[in-house]
Amino acid sequence: MSDTTRKIALFGLVAVLILGTGVVQSWNSALLILNMGLISAIMALGLNLQWGFAGLFNVGVMGFVALGGLASVLVAMPPVPDAWSAGGLRVIAGLLTGAAVIVAAAQVYRRVTRYRIPAMIVVLVAGFFLYRWIFDGGVVAVEAVNPASTGYLGGLGLPVLLGWPVGGLLAAGAAWIIGKTALGLRSDYLAIATLGIAEIVVAVMKNEDWLARGVKNVSGLPRPVPYEIDLQNSASFTERAASLGVDPVTASTLWVKVLYAGLFAVVLAVLLILAQRALHSPWGRMMRAIRDNETAAEAMGKDVTGRHLQIFILGSAICGVAGAMMTTLDGQLTPGTYQPLRFTFLIWVMVIVGGSGNNFGAVLGGMLIWFAWVQVEPLGRWLLELLTSGMSEGPLKDHLLDSAAHMRLLTMGVLMLVVLRFSPRGLIPER
Amino acid sequence: MDLLNAIVALTNFVLIPGIAYGSQLAIGALGVTMVYGILRFSNFAHGDTMAFGTMVTILATWGLQASGVTAGPLPTALLALPVGIAATMVLALVTDRLVYRFYREVRAKPVILVIVSIGVMFVMNGIVRFIIGPDDQNFADGERFIFTARDFKEWSGLEEGLALKSTQALTVVTAVVVVALLFWFLNRTRTGKSMRAYSDNEDLALLSGINPERVVMVTWLIVAALATVAGVLYGLDKSFKPFTYFQLLLPIFAAAIVGGLGSPLGAIAGGFVIAFSEVFVTYAWKKVLAYSLPEALEPEGLVQLLSTDYKFAVSFIILLVVLLFRPTGLFRGKSV
């Protein structure tokens, strides 16, 4: 089977699976799978850039996704003027102080010649207390403003679509900081560093209530698409729905999801084209050369660490965009739901199964694995019901049926191990 | 100003929890460092191996409790521990046979093995959640305290109490025994020596007739035992929850790297460095400072440097500092 037919066949399979869900279950669930599948495909594309192109071991996808989600809140939610006047400036001043302390400490380390490490520690410790003194006062004031509904600074009140590129920028900024410190070290160290930063990002989002309400969640994010209720009230929409023979409520929920799918597909298409162009440019060839033999690439005068930093930032930015899109789709930011198994390691399964180093492979993996992730649960339940049908009623049977939800982790792990063992280049291998 | 009370408060809230947590991390980090030294990859499945071992131990504990067997004042889990260790050993060997051995034979790059270990992590995580569910399980029984805060207050007449939980004492005692056994094994026995030789220089070890498969097998057996012990101690001291064990991966790796990957001594030192910094930074110092400073200087706030939710940040920052200033760790580990 030639390369193109293989691609067409596999993507056709995904289409059939999603359409099949529409026919068998409901079009609503089919569109839900499609939307998250498109977002997952973008995340996989970002990770593929890092792992597939450059061989960078990033296990912090969750952090970048969460930062993207944060960005969409900060951009789209209306500002809370009371909170700003209560302590907003003090919070900002606190953050700036914190940044200034770190810069000062770095300068001390660089400039001072004698006792530079004790001097740096003194600057850091004194700076830390100064920072906490300024910052904490502001935080208390902000969080006291109507804590039940706001209690945070709010956003900028701009269109939510603007949050998507901002999410990318925020993730890129974080990636720059991590890359600066951890790239150039060994690959496992980068892995641990990214794992850590992802946990920290999520911990910050859970605990800093002034920023995005922490675990109290921000809900009711403005939408880039119309609300169902508005559609149901619009005469032209109900008319069109009636002419298609669908009742307006169902039609409106489906139409909103179709609009989202359109938006996501556009973003995915743009990113895919860019990634494809990058892969086949001299820059992409250089990246793969560096990945395959760092020493040789360095001998050719390539700046390995610099290139790595570049692609690490790019890939993380794409994950950030995907995170912002996901939060927009959900309409709320729920820091408690960010779990590494779901947002980091599942993306890894997508890239590995799809085919690392191949953009189409990553996209395919994203859609296919997301489909599997969603559908394994009902399938597992069905399977267990079948297996336990002969058993008498009892705690064991109940336990087995309750455990069906955990089948997905097991399935993903087995799938990943099987692909790694028998087809390590994935479904659509790199050429 | 009352220094004695300050010392008691410090011991109660910082030193004792720090030592207990440090011992748990140290045993966990020993497992990671052993895999790294012999098999030469960072095992992401270690947290879930710990969870698996603890799960089997919990199930065995329940079985013992149901049949009326207890260990008196000690937790019943101690009696169940050998069962957990044995099951985890079987799991580790089966995993190695089914998964890792192939990659050793094709001499795959270490990073591929790390990815493979992520797959193993998924599977183990799935198994654990499948069998015992994702919820908290508390399985500590027996005496809760060796002496309680009130006993201590009555005995010493001080304002501050000092409590010693039996699980904390047990953790430290077990850790000392386990570490002593491990070092005796590595330094004194023939198999242990061959393992160290294999870790130091694979080619030379092969040349002198050391059987690599045997070394790998023994390593997995030891790692499984260490993981189960670490997991059970942590579970007894706090509680068992599969997701928490997954999250332990970060401090454990931080401990192993800070100490120097591949160095058993480093893993222990790293475990305590990480544990003490976590407890130190997230403890509210108000009480200790109030006792030790003159009244005029008494602090108003809690004097907590970071909220406890940021304890991961602490291990991470220490890790970064060590990586920046001393990339091979405190005890000069190896690098692949």
Side-chain angles (χ1 to χ4, degrees):
Chain A
M1 203 162 33
S2 84
D3 201 48
T4 325
T5 41
R6 191 183 167 88
K7 266 184 213 163
I8 293 172
L10 284 165
F11 277 102
L13 173 73
V14 171
V16 168
L17 286 174
I18 292 178
L19 291 175
T21 309
V23 175
V24 176
Q25 292 178 325
S26 73
W27 289 102
N28 200 30
S29 15
L31 280 171
L32 275 174
I33 293 180
L34 176 66
N35 280 339
M36 269 314 290
L38 288 168
I39 291 175
S40 306
I42 295 176
M43 293 179 192
L45 205 58
L47 181 63
N48 182 45
L49 215 56
Q50 297 172 337
W51 169 245
F53 284 26
L56 293 177
F57 199 64
N58 174 13
V59 278
V61 179
M62 173 181 77
F64 301 114
V65 168
L67 278 176
L70 177 66
S72 61
V73 166
L74 294 184
V75 167
M77 288 307 281
V80 183
D82 291 347
W84 274 102
S85 56
L89 292 178
R90 191 163 169 184
V91 168
I92 302 293
L95 290 179
L96 290 177
T97 316
V101 167
I102 292 175
V103 172
Q107 286 299 323
V108 166
Y109 185 74
R110 210 166 291 161
R111 299 275 167 78
V112 177
T113 45
R114 289 181 65 192
Y115 302 114
R116 62 179 185 170
I117 289 186
M120 184 179 72
I121 290 172
V122 167
V123 170
L124 279 177
V125 170
F128 180 77
F129 282 102
L130 180 69
Y131 153 77
R132 280 297 293 263
W133 179 73
I134 300 180
F135 183 69
D136 286 1
V139 167
V140 170
V142 168
E143 288 176 3
V145 177
N146 196 3
S149 62
T150 54
Y152 74 124
L153 288 175
L156 299 172
L158 297 169
V160 70
L161 284 184
L162 212 62
W164 297 4
V166 173
L169 284 178
L170 207 58
W176 181 77
I177 297 176
I178 307 163
K180 266 292 184 195
T181 42
L183 284 173
L185 293 168
R186 298 202 351 240
S187 57
D188 326 35
Y189 288 176
L190 180 68
I192 305 296
T194 47
L195 189 72
I197 205 86
E199 289 291 343
I200 291 174
V201 166
V202 173
V204 167
M205 282 173 55
K206 275 185 190 164
N207 294 295
E208 300 301 315
D209 287 11
W210 59 271
L211 184 65
R213 304 197 71 218
V215 283
K216 289 184 283 182
N217 303 341
V218 177
S219 50
L221 233 70
R223 277 185 175 182
V225 296
Y227 285 86
E228 284 88 348
I229 192 78
D230 295 338
L231 286 177
Q232 286 160 26
N233 290 338
S234 104
S236 63
F237 183 81
T238 42
E239 223 167 83
R240 233 180 311 153
S243 71
L244 288 168
V246 204
D247 87 294
V249 177
T250 324
S252 63
T253 54
L254 291 182
W255 180 240
V256 166
K257 293 194 173 68
V258 169
L259 286 176
Y260 269 123
L263 278 174
F264 296 161
V266 169
V267 176
L268 176 62
V270 169
L271 288 175
L272 184 60
I273 291 169
L274 288 176
Q276 242 354 58
R277 294 293 297 260
L279 183 67
H280 295 297
S281 68
W283 182 82
R285 279 192 287 278
M286 173 178 65
M287 280 302 171
R288 278 174 291 160
I290 292 176
R291 177 195 67 189
D292 292 338
N293 192 335
E294 262 181 45
T295 321
E298 212 152 3
M300 298 294 292
K302 304 299 178 201
D303 175 8
V304 171
T305 314
R307 293 307 119 221
H308 274 173
L309 184 63
Q310 205 173 31
I311 204 157
F312 186 67
I313 291 175
L314 282 175
S316 303
I318 292 180
C319 292
V321 172
M325 289 163 62
M326 193 186 72
T327 305
T328 312
L329 175 67
D330 292 344
Q332 56 177 358
L333 181 70
T334 48
T337 55
Y338 288 102
Q339 296 217 345
L341 281 174
R342 156 73 184 87
F343 284 102
T344 297
F345 295 109
L346 190 65
I347 312 297
W348 268 94
V349 179
M350 290 169 180
V351 172
I352 300 286
V353 171
S356 51
N358 189 319
N359 291 319
F360 287 100
V363 172
L364 175 82
M367 311 272 296
L368 197 63
I369 294 297
W370 180 253
F371 178 84
W373 179 256
V374 175
Q375 295 293 15
V376 156
E377 203 176 320
L379 209 67
R381 184 166 292 278
W382 174 78
L383 195 73
L384 281 173
E385 267 165 17
L386 197 73
L387 285 175
T388 54
S389 58
M391 286 167 61
S392 54
E393 294 296 320
L396 183 64
K397 181 170 178 175
D398 292 344
H399 177 82
L400 281 176
L401 289 178
D402 284 346
S403 306
H406 310 302
M407 285 282 276
R408 39 165 66 156
L409 291 172
L410 203 66
T411 321
M412 289 303 137
V414 171
L415 191 64
M416 187 172 176
L417 288 176
V418 166
V419 168
L420 275 171
R421 173 77 160 75
F422 298 105
S423 164
R425 283 147 54 81
L427 289 174
I428 308 184
E430 183 187 357
R431 251 171 302 163
Chain B
M1 188 168 157
D2 185 351
L3 268 184
L4 208 54
N5 271 322
I7 292 170
V8 171
L10 187 73
T11 316
N12 191 28
F13 293 110
V14 177
L15 292 185
I16 293 182
I19 291 173
Y21 183 42
S23 318
Q24 291 149 8
L25 282 188
I27 305 179
L30 271 175
V32 165
T33 232
M34 294 271 295
V35 173
Y36 192 85
I38 307 282
L39 294 139
R40 300 189 161 76
F41 71 96
S42 307
N43 184 10
F44 271 68
H46 196 76
D48 288 295
T49 315
M50 282 166 60
F52 181 86
T54 316
M55 177 195 73
V56 176
T57 311
I58 292 177
L59 294 178
T61 309
W62 288 344
L64 286 174
Q65 284 169 343
S67 56
V69 183
T70 57
L74 292 171
T76 317
L78 274 191
L79 293 179
L81 189 60
V83 183
I85 291 178
T88 316
M89 283 175 168
V90 172
L91 177 81
L93 289 183
V94 169
T95 314
D96 185 67
R97 177 70 189 77
L98 288 182
V99 184
Y100 294 122
R101 197 168 84 169
F102 168 76
Y103 298 96
R104 270 203 307 284
E105 276 164 5
V106 300
R107 297 202 155 252
K109 280 189 289 184
V111 70
I112 300 295
L113 276 160
V114 178
I115 296 177
V116 171
S117 79
I118 290 178
V120 173
M121 174 188 87
F122 260 107
V123 174
M124 287 188 182
N125 205 304
I127 294 175
V128 170
R129 288 180 194 219
F130 194 82
I131 296 179
I132 206 167
D135 304 319
D136 251 321
Q137 311 285 351
N138 209 328
F139 60 105
D141 57 0
E143 288 291 326
R144 264 180 64 69
F145 289 98
I146 291 184
F147 54 87
T148 62
R150 197 199 302 171
D151 293 342
F152 181 82
K153 277 190 217 167
E154 280 169 10
W155 173 78
S156 64
L158 286 174
E159 243 176 87
E160 272 305 311
L162 178 66
L164 183 62
K165 283 201 282 181
S166 44
T167 52
Q168 290 168 334
L170 190 72
T171 298
V172 177
V173 172
T174 319
V176 170
V177 172
V178 165
V179 168
L181 272 179
L182 181 69
F183 278 87
W184 170 79
F185 177 79
L186 287 179
N187 292 322
R188 292 275 181 269
T189 62
R190 208 178 149 75
T191 318
K193 281 180 189 164
S194 67
M195 282 170 66
R196 285 194 300 140
Y198 186 82
S199 160
D200 282 346
N201 189 334
E202 192 180 338
D203 293 331
L204 214 54
L206 292 178
L207 206 61
S208 45
I210 289 171
N211 177 3
E213 283 308 305
R214 194 178 132 80
V215 167
V216 167
M217 190 187 82
V218 175
T219 308
W220 279 121
L221 293 180
I222 295 175
V223 168
L226 287 171
T228 311
V229 171
V232 169
L233 290 178
Y234 186 86
L236 280 176
D237 196 18
K238 280 135 190 160
S239 77
F240 172 78
K241 190 179 181 188
F243 185 62
T244 321
Y245 277 62
F246 169 77
Q247 282 189 318
L248 273 180
L249 206 58
L250 189 62
I252 284 179
F253 263 106
I257 294 178
V258 164
L261 269 174
S263 151
L265 211 58
I268 296 169
F272 283 101
V273 168
I274 297 288
F276 272 107
S277 352
E278 267 188 25
V279 179
F280 199 83
V281 175
T282 54
Y283 173 62
W285 287 90
K286 180 181 169 64
K287 222 176 202 175
V288 174
L289 289 180
Y291 281 123
S292 54
L293 293 175
E295 246 167 63
L297 282 174
E298 204 169 296
E300 278 172 37
L302 287 169
V303 206
Q304 186 181 21
L305 297 178
L306 278 177
S307 108
T308 35
D309 302 294
Y310 289 130
K311 57 180 185 187
F312 289 119
V314 180
S315 34
F316 180 71
I317 286 166
I318 297 170
L319 179 69
L320 272 193
V321 169
V322 169
L323 286 187
L324 285 178
F325 293 99
R326 203 179 162 90
T328 47
L330 300 174
F331 282 75
R332 287 259 170 264
K334 63 171 71 194
S335 56
V336 173

